[in-house]
Amino acid sequence: MCDDMAKNILVALMMCMASFGVSAADRVTEVYDVVGADTLRLDFYRAQSDTLAPAMIFAFGGGFKGGQRDHESFMPMFEYLTRNGISVVSVDYRTMLGRVSAADMMSPEGFKSNLIAAIDTAVTDFISATAYVVNRKAKEWEIDPGKIFACGSSAGAITVLQTEYDICNGDEAFLTSYGLPESFNYAGVIAMAGAICSQGSPQWGTTPCPLLMFHGDADAIVPFDQAVLGDFGLWGSNAVSTGLAEGGIPHRFHRVNGASHEVSGTPMSRYCGEIYDFIKSVCRNEEKSIVNTTEYIPGQPPYKTDFTIIDYIKANM
């Protein structure tokens, strides 16, 4: 890590510590879509800024079975970002695996088909929420529509990575069908224990926006590397990073050795400075390198990393 980046992260950490414990900015809740019996809402947290602010659109975790957009564990990150000039929009999405019986998920094929449907639904809702923010609220909320970041935890991290992957591989009508311009893309994506669902290893049709990924290499819930069934697979942060590095595509990957799925949440309290540094670097158009960070505990005993697709199915029941 270069000296300038280290200094920026240290400054950001000090800012985070200074603001921690103060109430978050006033929350504005709105309905952004109604789909059948589902009313989808979002919460807006305004940045403390005198200019148009970057904004993070956030997707919660919960295994596509449940979860809530305003969970108290998210508030340290939301509060820190708003106090340092970055607005936050935390959104609902339909959690379709919560509507599927355990029996339907027991077989590899059942797991595959239902997971694909759940991810596709979450992506649809996330892009709809993005279009609502960009088209209807950016001016009122003083958000810079060219600096919209996508962020998610666990299932939400899968959602935001998959959204970017689909944008890069979609046809001309993919974004325009949601009312977004064909040229739209997120300024950056931040994924905490996420993965991409694809047939075969991920192949990017166009260059993705800058990515910041966090993942533990002992994650038994979302693959750190990959979980494959035939040519279908969930390709985790390590596999995504490896593919991007082979193509010389700038991104950041923060690996935590020996950590399991807790890395879907720890960045929201422990790594606020790294998230802030990434956002500000992208906004300055300085995110042009491949940065790999490995965190480990000296003397750590051996731990399991060789999970199979069956292990992941059982863990997600």
Side-chain angles (χ1 to χ4, degrees), residues 2-245:
C2 67
D3 290 342
D4 287 344
M5 183 182 296
K7 290 176 182 177
N8 288 340
I9 292 175
L10 179 60
V11 170
L13 284 168
M14 293 173 65
M15 293 167 70
C16 181
M17 293 173 64
S19 65
F20 189 80
V22 182
S23 297
D26 291 342
R27 177 188 308 167
V28 175
T29 300
E30 297 197 5
V31 174
Y32 75 83
D33 203 359
V34 177
V35 185
D38 295 292
T39 300
L40 302 175
R41 296 179 172 84
L42 54 75
D43 296 329
F44 170 62
Y45 303 82
R46 185 182 295 274
Q48 295 187 6
S49 175
D50 296 328
T51 60
L52 289 181
M56 170 191 285
I57 302 180
F58 178 79
F60 58 79
F64 299 104
K65 299 175 186 176
Q68 62 188 82
R69 67 183 185 277
D70 58 351
H71 194 276
E72 62 182 10
S73 64
F74 309 152
M75 295 306 144
M77 182 177 71
F78 293 178
E79 176 191 358
Y80 161 64
L81 291 175
T82 58
R83 289 189 176 276
N84 291 289
I86 300 163
S87 290
V88 176
V89 183
S90 189
V91 304
D92 283 337
Y93 59 92
R94 287 168 288 166
T95 51
M96 303 306 288
L97 292 188
R99 310 177 190 190
V100 176
S101 70
D104 290 334
M105 293 288 289
M106 284 297 292
S107 70
E109 284 300 326
F111 179 81
K112 170 184 172 180
S113 62
N114 285 296
L115 179 61
I116 290 173
I119 294 173
D120 286 346
T121 298
V123 167
T124 293
D125 294 342
F126 192 81
I127 298 177
S128 293
T130 301
Y132 181 86
V133 172
V134 171
N135 294 331
R136 301 182 58 179
K137 291 295 173 179
K139 184 176 182 180
E140 176 186 344
W141 289 347
E142 298 179 294
I143 288 171
D144 186 336
K147 296 177 180 177
I148 303 289
F149 291 78
C151 178
S153 164
S154 189
I158 294 174
T159 298
V160 298
L161 281 174
Q162 193 72 40
T163 298
E164 178 62 14
Y165 187 69
D166 289 354
I167 287 173
C168 292
N169 291 284
D171 59 25
E172 292 181 358
F174 180 72
L175 288 171
T176 56
S177 65
Y178 294 91
L180 287 167
E182 181 186 334
S183 61
F184 174 82
N185 200 357
Y186 296 97
V189 169
I190 301 158
M192 308 171 198
I196 290 172
C197 178
S198 70
Q199 300 288 341
S201 61
Q203 302 296 318
W204 301 87
T206 59
T207 302
C209 67
L211 307 181
L212 168 59
M213 296 175 289
F214 298 90
H215 218 134
D217 71 346
D219 195 330
I221 306 296
V222 175
F224 170 75
D225 196 41
Q226 63 187 55
V228 179
L229 176 65
D231 61 352
F232 161 79
L234 273 176
W235 310 86
S237 305
N238 189 56
V240 174
S241 175
T242 298
L244 293 174

Side-chain angles (χ1 to χ4, degrees), residues 244-289:
L244 293 174
E246 289 173 352
I249 299 173
H251 67 282
R252 299 191 194 186
F253 177 35
H254 185 134
R255 165 184 182 148
V256 186
N257 284 358
S260 187
H261 199 57
E262 65 268 19
V263 180
S264 66
T266 50
M268 288 182 271
S269 56
R270 291 177 56 187
Y271 308 124
C272 287
E274 191 170 349
I275 293 168
Y276 175 83
D277 179 77
F278 172 76
I279 292 172
K280 299 304 287 186
S281 177
V282 170
C283 290
R284 294 191 300 264
N285 196 31
E286 295 175 354
E287 200 64 18
K288 300 182 184 298
S289 302

